[in-house]
Amino acid sequence: MSHSGDHCQELYDQLEASNRALKASNLELQQFAYVASHDLQAPLRHISGFVELLARRYQGKTDEKADLWIGETLKSVELMRSMIADLLEYSRVDSQAGDPVPVDLNSAFEASLLRLKAPISENQASVTSESLPTLMGDPAQFTQLLHNLIGNALKYRGPAPPEIKVTAEKGEREWTISVSDNGIGIDPAYHRTIFLMFERVYSSSKLPGTGIGLTLCQRIVQRHGGRIWVESEKDEGATFKFTLPIPSGPLPHWPTGKST
Ligand SMILES: Nc1ncnc2c1ncn2[C@@H]1O[C@H](COP(=O)(O)OP(=O)(O)O)[C@@H](O)[C@H]1O
Ligand SMILES: [Mg+2]
């Protein structure tokens, strides 16, 4: 065999090895989803069931401390329940994604607003968008992405009613989508860590949350070939930006949603 033939074989072997590794890690992720959904949820349900029984029978009948401890246990059980649900969702970003289809981000925006109807009206928030592009991807994931970012903008609001704007800017190779708010803002020291799993700026904050929302956003953006980051100062509002590639060539015309 010639030298170049050897080289080809070597590259081929490398490709096969990395392919195998990728398949193995996908499988691991699916197994993880299974563990999260069944193996962790079942004992947690058991714990919460028995603590609820304790609460029902003994609340107010023993001493104040016991009441407090039971209450704290219930709170932690609830938090763990949402963490497991969020982890499960995170582990499914790759395994449950459909083939990329053209997605009108205006529709994804409308769909996310529909899901945020209650907090939008409770906070008397104004949420607006400029005309957004149509990009290739998973429609449910684009909706989830905007839902998480707008949901955060509502949750981390400042004293004034929230004003949230979604805008898009076309670059040479990619679109940059911005979600800006007039909320509490984020100290630059935290701009990287907030994208990590379970990381929050104020972990003991009264605002509920598990710290997975942005990790999920990052994973969605990355698997669509983009980047996500935040521009903000404390008390000055925050602007989350993400890029998505401009589709190459004309978009195929599918009426809506997923291809079959
Ligand atoms: N729009 C925002 N304004 C201010 N802080 C934010 C905003 N979005 C996210 N954060 C900060 O980033 C942290 C991580 O966000 P996220 O991953 O969505 O988790 P969660 O909302 O469950 O805490 C939040 O706890 C909050 O401290
Ligand atoms: Mg969040």
Side-chain angles (χ1 to χ4, degrees):
M1 211 189 261
S2 72
H3 275 306
S4 75
D6 281 353
H7 189 58
C8 264
Q9 183 64 43
E10 209 175 283
L11 281 179
Y12 181 80
D13 288 347
Q14 274 172 14
L15 203 63
E16 264 224 322
S18 56
N19 220 342
R20 263 199 308 275
L22 202 64
K23 275 195 186 133
S25 81
N26 268 340
L27 195 70
E28 256 170 48
L29 200 65
Q30 278 161 26
Q31 278 166 349
F32 165 75
Y34 181 83
V35 168
S37 66
H38 295 87
D39 298 0
L40 284 180
Q41 272 174 355
L44 188 64
R45 261 198 299 274
H46 218 70
I47 293 171
S48 74
F50 280 109
V51 179
E52 272 158 25
L53 275 180
L54 275 177
R56 224 173 301 149
R57 186 164 303 176
Y58 298 108
Q59 198 109 49
K61 289 185 189 148
T62 49
D63 57 273
E64 252 170 52
K65 281 231 172 77
D67 284 355
L68 183 74
W69 294 340
I70 289 174
E72 288 300 309
T73 309
L74 283 172
K75 261 193 246 164
S76 287
V77 164
E78 197 38 58
L79 176 62
M80 191 159 174
R81 215 201 308 267
S82 11
M83 284 167 100
I84 290 175
D86 287 355
L87 262 177
L88 192 56
E89 201 172 336
Y90 177 79
S91 74
R92 284 177 173 158
V93 170
D94 284 324
S95 66
Q96 302 221 326
D99 287 336
V101 295
V103 183
D104 179 358
L105 283 187
N106 297 294
S107 318
F109 173 74
E110 294 300 331
S112 66
L113 290 199
L114 216 59
R115 281 162 59 179
L116 290 164
K117 230 170 156 179
I120 288 174
S121 80
E122 278 158 22
N123 287 291
Q124 296 178 324
S126 133
V127 190
T128 56
S129 74
E130 276 174 17
S131 84
L132 304 173
T134 293
L135 299 171
M136 295 298 289
D138 182 293
Q141 291 185 357
F142 282 163
T143 299
Q144 166 128 54
L145 178 60
L146 291 174
H147 172 264
N148 284 357
L149 294 177
I150 298 169
N152 278 346
L154 290 164
K155 183 154 75 162
Y156 303 106
R157 62 166 287 179
E163 270 183 41
I164 302 159
K165 296 193 189 85
V166 182
T167 56
E169 200 183 322
K170 193 176 185 180
E172 239 173 80
R173 289 203 196 88
E174 55 194 18
W175 281 92
T176 303
I177 316 290
S178 304
V179 180
S180 70
D181 66 50
N182 58 341
I184 59 173
I186 304 163
D187 188 312
Y190 299 103
H191 285 190
R192 279 172 183 278
T193 50
I194 50 169
F195 289 97
L196 300 175
M197 178 94 68
F198 299 137
E199 289 285 346
R200 312 185 68 209
V201 175
Y202 311 102
S203 44
S204 60
S205 140
K206 289 187 190 84
L207 299 165
T210 57
I212 292 188
L214 289 175
T215 317
L216 202 68
C217 288
Q218 187 177 48
R219 188 159 177 120
I220 290 172
V221 170
Q222 283 177 349
R223 71 175 293 279
H224 286 88
R227 293 162 286 124
I228 184 170
W229 69 97
V230 65
E231 294 171 2
S232 177
E233 294 288 337
K234 198 174 174 334
D235 300 324
E236 308 256 319
T239 301
F240 282 83
K241 295 189 175 183
F242 59 89
T243 62
L244 289 170
I246 295 174
S248 52
L251 291 174
H253 282 285
W254 278 302
T256 49
K258 291 193 172 184
S259 65
T260 43

